[in-house]
Amino acid sequence: MKSLPTLVFQVNHPTKHFPSQLTTHTQHDNGNMFCQNISFDLSNDVDHEKIDTMDENKGLSDFEYKCPPGGQDAVIFYTTSLRGIRKTFEDCSMIRFLVESFGIVYYERDVSLHIAYRDELWRILGGIRVVPPRLFVKGRHIGGADEVVGLHEQGILKKLLHGIPLISSKFPCKVCCGIRFVMCLSCHGCCKITDQDSNGYRIRCPKCNENGLIKCPVCN
């Protein structure tokens, strides 16, 4: 009977006989987890530093060479002025604003005003039927809206545009008001002319495009 309290005490508190061993194991496990967490965080920091360094050193040579006609030393911007698809129109306006903010000379090619520009863009990109906006710098395909905005936020777009001539005046062309197209003077925009060699029949005007427009002779 005198040993009964001792037995009950040992059953109810079995861990008190091995405090040092349990404490040692627990500290050891926690130490391993702590070291693993530090190693994981350090590896993540190194990876981010490598990525940031690579992005900062990105140049034109890192982009695919897809040169539009006349774009070897120029900035070519394929766009559309149609508002049918709201996102496309807003993306074009956003990229135009970014390019103009640098005050550089660039050439805008509106696929909605001249269908030949659309076919030209598709041909440059290997037959892929992409939609504007598309930006090309010195024959390099920079990308669409998401790519250009991302490069601008990283400060890379400014480096890519280095060496492009600055505009001499803030005002647009006085002939076309910045549209880069004017109405055809031969057919006055109707795309039809009277052929004197075919008894006065109306034929397709050979000078204008499908919209009765010709490229501005001043700014193109």
Side-chain angles (χ1 to χ4, degrees):
M1 295 295 292
K2 292 181 179 181
S3 61
L4 184 59
T6 304
L7 293 175
V8 173
F9 177 79
Q10 292 178 356
V11 172
N12 292 337
H13 305 280
T15 59
K16 289 190 176 182
H17 291 273
F18 313 99
S20 60
Q21 184 177 2
L22 291 175
T23 304
T24 303
H25 289 169
T26 304
Q27 292 177 348
H28 182 69
D29 293 340
N30 291 338
N32 288 338
M33 292 177 62
F34 181 72
C35 292
Q36 291 175 359
N37 291 337
I38 291 179
S39 301
F40 180 75
D41 293 338
L42 289 176
S43 63
N44 284 344
D45 292 340
V46 172
D47 291 340
H48 286 303
E49 289 177 359
K50 289 181 179 179
I51 292 174
D52 293 340
T53 303
M54 291 174 60
D55 289 342
E56 291 177 357
N57 296 331
K58 202 168 188 179
L60 281 175
S61 59
D62 296 316
F63 294 88
E64 189 176 9
Y65 186 78
K66 297 282 187 179
C67 187
Q72 292 82 359
D73 298 311
V75 175
I76 307 296
F77 173 45
Y78 288 89
T79 180
T80 178
S81 56
L82 291 180
R83 299 172 180 261
I85 302 178
R86 181 176 179 180
K87 185 179 185 308
T88 301
F89 178 78
E90 290 178 350
D91 287 345
C92 291
S93 300
M94 178 173 52
I95 302 305
R96 183 186 299 105
F97 175 80
L98 284 179
V99 174
E100 290 181 348
S101 66
F102 292 102
I104 61 170
V105 176
Y106 73 98
Y107 299 93
E108 184 173 339
R109 297 180 178 177
D110 194 331
V111 300
S112 62
L113 293 180
H114 194 46
I115 197 172
Y117 285 157
R118 186 202 66 180
D119 297 337
E120 178 181 284
L121 176 62
W122 291 356
R123 184 176 62 256
I124 294 169
L125 298 181
I128 302 176
R129 297 189 174 186
V130 297
V131 296
R134 291 286 159 174
L135 185 67
F136 296 81
V137 178
K138 294 183 178 180
R140 301 285 178 169
H141 180 213
I142 305 304
D146 295 337
E147 292 82 3
V148 175
V149 171
L151 292 171
H152 175 66
E153 292 176 349
Q154 298 172 24
I156 302 175
L157 182 60
K158 183 178 181 180
K159 298 178 181 179
L160 300 180
L161 298 175
H162 179 72
I164 300 297
L166 300 178
I167 56 177
S168 58
S169 175
K170 295 182 179 180
F171 298 98
C173 174
K174 295 182 179 180
V175 176
C176 66
C177 298
I179 301 176
R180 303 191 185 273
F181 282 90
V182 294
M183 184 177 62
C184 178
L185 297 179
S186 298
C187 66
H188 302 287
C190 68
C191 301
K192 297 289 185 179
I193 60 173
T194 302
D195 187 12
Q196 302 297 334
D197 298 332
S198 58
N199 298 324
Y201 285 103
R202 304 275 288 177
I203 62 173
R204 177 70 172 83
C205 178
K207 296 183 179 181
C208 62
N209 64 10
E210 70 281 359
N211 294 311
L213 303 174
I214 60 174
K215 295 181 181 180
C216 177
V218 175
C219 61
N220 278 287

